[in-house]
Amino acid sequence: MSDKLAKSALNQAGSGTRSVWSGEQVQHPYRATQTPIVASAAYGYQDIDEWYDAALGTAPGFIYSRMSNPTVEILEAKICGLENAESAVAFSTGMAAISSVLYTFLSNGCRVVSTKDSYGGTNKVFEEFLPRMGVSVALCETHSHEQIEEEIAKGCDVLYLETPTNPTLKIVDVKRLVAAAKKVGALVIADNTFATPLNQSPLALGVDIVVHSATKFLSGHADAMGGLVCGSEELMGKVRHYREINGASLDPFSAYLIIRGMKTLALRIRQQQSSAQAIAEYLLTEPLIEAVNYPGLPSHPNHHIACEQMQGFGAIVSFVLVGGMDTVKVLLPQLQYGHCAGNLGAVETIYGPARTTSHVENTLEERLALGISEGLVRISVGIEDTEDLIADLQQAFEQVRGFSYSEMDLD
């Protein structure tokens, strides 16, 4: 079968098959079955014209790994297969991907519209760094599609969406907001990290550019950092040029680990989001919890939108504890099956409050202004047995109830 026919067949395959084979229907050196780690910084040429053509991109080839690398290219091809994108660009971290794509398309005099409920690092770019460049930023209430549409209509060069949001798990209607953005000729960028390509296809919903923190679910093992941006070849050419000059390239070792992790993405997500749904439903019954955030719950304000634009509801749940941070400090150390860490998307379950995870860069006042309670805890559900995770939460809550009111204020 020719490469063209093989790629065509793969496009029709399921997401699990594409997770394994996208980007890897090629003959690796030495007939290896796994993507090799090419650790060379530079690539040599005896023919100067051949070298020049490779440098210009008019002929295939590599010249310097800041610009392109064989291992990294396999990863870029793999995310293209999952997101149905023409092209992709890999970065050293998720924030490198997010900030670089914003800096590529925004400059002095431009206007960006987004929501308040974005990841803390992204929020800092909007609040601190873009205004320094003379970029006007409008951050809207995430639940108000009307407000977002009004701000877009005032003038918008880039609309930046994150759905579900981190860590409040809010959902925005992507098609509706894309339609508003296209009326004014705005570019639409969406962070698909939480949903993953298995649960949401932003490009099919009209989005122009999709970003991922590949450190999270794509890698899945908390041992590599990376970011990915994908979209049309025209747009990715601009993003790639920015990366080449500014230098936040992904190293081949991390690319290899992310490639390896992506092969089990479908299996991991299947178990993780099944457990997440069960955990969210259990948490609704716990008296020590004020609120549970999970788009798979019928009680979620935008559950109906999630049902329309997502194929699954993801593996992140967040909840708000009675007693705020005092209760958080008692509950988390009691958990046996979960790391308390500033990461998500790994095979192990991970717990953490917003002030030490998603919004550690923000002050207390900034978090409260963003609607993030000090009692909010984010769970990144792992691949452990569902029953064990729920039993672990149950015993932890029982221990919290064992503390006296003099030790912890639960009023």
Side-chain angles (χ1 to χ4, degrees):
M1 182 181 292
S2 69
D3 287 348
K4 186 174 182 179
L5 287 175
K7 289 179 180 178
S8 176
L10 188 59
N11 289 339
Q12 306 303 315
S15 56
T17 303
R18 285 182 284 124
S19 296
V20 174
W21 285 102
S22 289
E24 301 200 55
Q25 290 184 303
V26 296
Q27 181 65 63
H28 296 310
Y30 311 109
R31 298 190 177 276
T33 62
Q34 302 303 308
T35 298
I37 301 172
V38 180
S40 183
Y43 306 84
Y45 292 84
Q46 295 299 315
D47 186 299
I48 300 300
D49 291 331
E50 183 184 359
W51 184 5
Y52 185 62
D53 289 340
L56 293 180
T58 57
F62 303 90
I63 60 167
Y64 194 62
S65 279
R66 172 166 55 80
M67 300 173 182
S68 60
N69 172 277
T71 309
V72 175
E73 279 202 351
I74 296 293
L75 173 60
E76 292 170 340
K78 191 174 286 292
I79 193 61
C80 284
L82 285 175
E83 289 284 11
N84 293 310
E86 289 181 359
S87 184
V89 185
F91 289 86
S92 54
T93 67
M95 277 311 303
I98 291 168
S99 59
S100 293
V101 76
L102 288 170
Y103 297 149
T104 298
F105 296 103
L106 291 169
S107 58
N108 185 40
C110 288
R111 188 167 190 263
V112 58
V113 175
S114 189
T115 61
K116 293 181 179 178
D117 285 274
S118 58
Y119 168 63
T122 308
N123 178 263
K124 278 295 182 184
V125 174
F126 288 139
E127 297 272 23
E128 184 176 343
F129 294 99
L130 288 177
R132 292 184 191 174
M133 296 167 49
V135 175
S136 175
V137 179
L139 298 182
C140 307
E141 297 295 339
T142 309
H143 64 269
S144 177
H145 288 80
E146 293 79 10
Q147 184 187 6
I148 300 170
E149 289 168 330
E150 288 174 7
E151 290 297 331
I152 292 171
K154 292 177 184 178
C156 177
D157 295 287
V158 168
L159 171 64
Y160 186 94
L161 303 175
E162 183 180 300
T163 182
T165 61
N166 182 5
T168 53
L169 282 300
K170 292 180 181 175
I171 301 290
V172 298
D173 188 329
V174 176
K175 279 188 175 180
R176 175 176 173 175
L177 296 179
V178 163
K182 295 308 175 185
K183 286 181 181 178
V184 298
L187 189 73
V188 184
I189 303 168
D191 185 335
N192 206 30
T193 300
F194 267 31
T196 79
L198 274 62
N199 287 327
Q200 189 166 258
S201 302
L203 296 178
L205 296 171
V207 167
D208 298 297
I209 295 174
V210 178
V211 297
H212 284 274
S213 173
T215 309
K216 310 303 191 298
F217 289 104
L218 297 181
S219 173
H221 292 77
D223 56 4
M225 302 191 80
L228 290 165
V229 179
C230 56
S232 69
E233 180 57 54
E234 178 186 1
L235 293 174
M236 290 307 99
K238 296 176 181 179
V239 175
R240 190 174 295 108
H241 176 67
Y242 185 94
R243 184 198 63 182
E244 289 175 1
I245 303 305
N246 288 275
S249 304
L250 182 65
D251 73 273
F253 294 96
S254 294
Y256 168 81
L257 290 172
I258 297 168
I259 290 168
R260 185 177 68 172
M262 287 175 71
K263 293 182 181 184
T264 61
L265 178 64
L267 294 174
R268 289 186 281 108
I269 291 295
R270 190 180 305 160
Q271 172 64 17
Q272 287 171 305
Q273 64 188 17
S274 174
S275 292
Q277 182 74 38
I279 288 170
E281 291 171 358
Y282 155 69
L283 291 172
L284 287 175
T285 70
E286 173 52 57
L288 284 172
I289 291 179
E290 293 180 355
V292 181
N293 306 310
Y294 186 66
L297 294 173
S299 57
H300 188 285
N302 286 320
H303 174 68
H304 63 291
I305 297 176
C307 288
E308 291 173 1
Q309 68 187 29
M310 300 181 74
Q311 291 73 56
F313 303 114
I316 305 294
V317 181
S318 66
F319 59 90
V320 179
L321 284 165
V322 174
M325 184 53 64
D326 288 340
T327 314
V328 172
K329 290 179 179 179
V330 176
L331 177 71
L332 295 192
Q334 313 307 323
L335 293 161
Q336 301 171 13
Y337 302 129
H339 293 299
C340 292
N343 192 24
L344 60 91
V347 291
E348 305 93 356
T349 295
I350 304 171
Y351 293 88
R355 82 170 183 179
T356 57
T357 56
S358 63
H359 287 70
V360 66
E361 296 92 352
N362 299 91
T363 64
L364 170 61
E365 292 73 23
E366 288 173 334
R367 288 193 297 274
L368 293 176
L370 294 171
I372 298 173
S373 163
E374 286 295 273
L376 185 144
V377 174
R378 185 184 69 194
I379 313 175
S380 172
V381 181
I383 64 170
E384 303 93 341
D385 291 327
T386 307
E387 297 79 6
D388 292 330
L389 293 176
I390 292 177
D392 191 26
L393 280 163
Q394 288 173 329
Q395 66 82 25
F397 281 117
E398 284 303 315
Q399 293 197 57
V400 172
R401 275 185 278 274
F403 281 74
S404 70
Y405 280 81
S406 62
E407 294 173 283
M408 181 177 58
D409 182 9
L410 296 182
D411 292 335

